[in-house]
Amino acid sequence: YPAAVFSHVVFGDVVFGDVVFGDVVFGDVVFSDAASLIHGRVFVIDVDQMDHALDVLDQVEGAADGQYRRVQVVSRSGSTAWAYAYGEGLVLTPIADGSWLGHNGQAQPPPLGYGHRMPITPDTKSWTWVLERACLDCGFDAADMEAHDVADAVRKQASTWTRLLAQPRVRDRPNDDQWSALEYGCHVRDVFRLFDLRLGRMLDEHEPRFANWDQDVTAVEDRYDEQDPAVVAVELRDAAEQFAERLSGVFGDQWSRVGLRSDGAVFTVESFALYLIHDPVHHVHDVEAGNESLAR
């Protein structure tokens, strides 16, 4: 559909549901209250062209096998949007990691707009060791922090990232295998969002098991490098505050509640909070080291 119909695009949002394979060309989605997340973008349609645009979209989606229908969904950020959900008639195969790009190892090209970027080497390390010993790269030591201090530390991190995202070369990568400050900022924002969701589940459910999140696929699919740094800064602050507010309400035995990662790692709310704060701290170090390289 002509791009002029869209007034702007909101990147990096998610809704609940599952990505499945039910067609020889495209992936399908099933919206639900499942723990899995569907990463996507919200296209805001010009109000004067709304009715016509929706009519065209209904015709296009309705012509495909699967009896797709337009449904209203609410994203994790609180946005209400139209989406097209699978109806019936196809044999569906779940895509375990929720990534259509990575389905069955297909070497699909990244979305338009990311072609000038080389995808960085995926980070496959398990960082749970930061709960046991200091990180020699960034200096973070979990032994020096109490879990109940993490909420304030998250708020301070939000201020630091606001500064980093306002720098002139925020979009520049120091090398082909390291994210720009903007890309790191998008990642930190999404980490805060994801950990807030997982913390909520740990407090409300008995030993919830978390679906895998591929941060590198998300960076490509959500076009981190094309997002607006000023918008990302606001979204990061909001996500940090939401997580900090939820964590501030934890008390007593709640610190011992358990959550299970898909790779088998087991967290209590206490260790979960300490594990979380290392991520933004470490990436501040990454960005500042990258800035030094860019200044040479």
Side-chain angles (χ1 to χ4, degrees), residues 15-16 31-32 54 69-75 78-85:
V15 294
F16 295 102
F31 300 104
S32 68
L54 290 177
R69 66 195 187 283
R70 177 154 49 98
V71 297
Q72 193 173 73
V73 297
V74 179
S75 73
S79 297
T80 300
W82 292 114
Y84 288 86

Side-chain angles (χ1 to χ4, degrees), residues 6 11-12 19 23 37 52 64-65 75 79 82 88 99 103 145 160 167 174 202 206 213 229 255 263 272 275 282 294:
F6 305 113
F11 292 89
V19 180
D23 186 270
L37 297 177
H52 178 61
D65 292 337
S75 73
S79 297
W82 292 114
E88 58 184 20
S99 168
H103 176 57
M145 179 173 287
T160 299
Q167 62 190 14
M202 292 174 76
H206 176 68
W213 178 54
W255 289 105
D263 63 357
F272 184 76
Y275 179 76
H282 192 97
L294 289 169

Side-chain angles (χ1 to χ4, degrees), residues 205-226:
E205 303 174 26
H206 176 68
E207 299 185 0
R209 183 174 295 275
F210 307 131
N212 179 57
W213 178 54
D214 191 321
Q215 62 187 36
D216 300 295
V217 170
T218 300
V220 174
E221 291 184 341
D222 286 357
R223 303 185 186 185
Y224 278 1
D225 68 326
E226 294 185 7

Side-chain angles (χ1 to χ4, degrees), residues 6-21:
F6 305 113
S7 61
H8 64 282
V9 182
V10 179
F11 292 89
D13 213 342
V14 297
V15 294
F16 295 102
D18 297 295
V19 180
V20 295
F21 177 64

Side-chain angles (χ1 to χ4, degrees), residues 61-138:
E61 294 288 344
D65 292 337
Q67 298 185 22
Y68 295 91
R69 66 195 187 283
R70 177 154 49 98
V71 297
Q72 193 173 73
V73 297
V74 179
S75 73
R76 189 171 58 190
S77 70
S79 297
T80 300
W82 292 114
Y84 288 86
Y86 164 78
E88 58 184 20
L90 300 177
V91 177
L92 303 181
T93 302
I95 299 177
D97 63 359
S99 168
W100 173 244
L101 276 180
H103 176 57
N104 285 340
Q106 294 178 12
Q108 298 191 28
L112 293 176
Y114 218 94
H116 65 291
R117 295 287 199 183
M118 290 179 62
I120 68 170
T121 302
D123 184 357
T124 58
K125 298 186 293 294
S126 173
W127 287 88
T128 53
W129 58 263
V130 299
L131 297 172
E132 302 169 358
R133 61 185 188 274
C135 178
L136 298 180
D137 291 332
C138 70

Side-chain angles (χ1 to χ4, degrees), residues 125 173 249 279:
K125 298 186 293 294
R173 284 185 173 183
D279 190 90

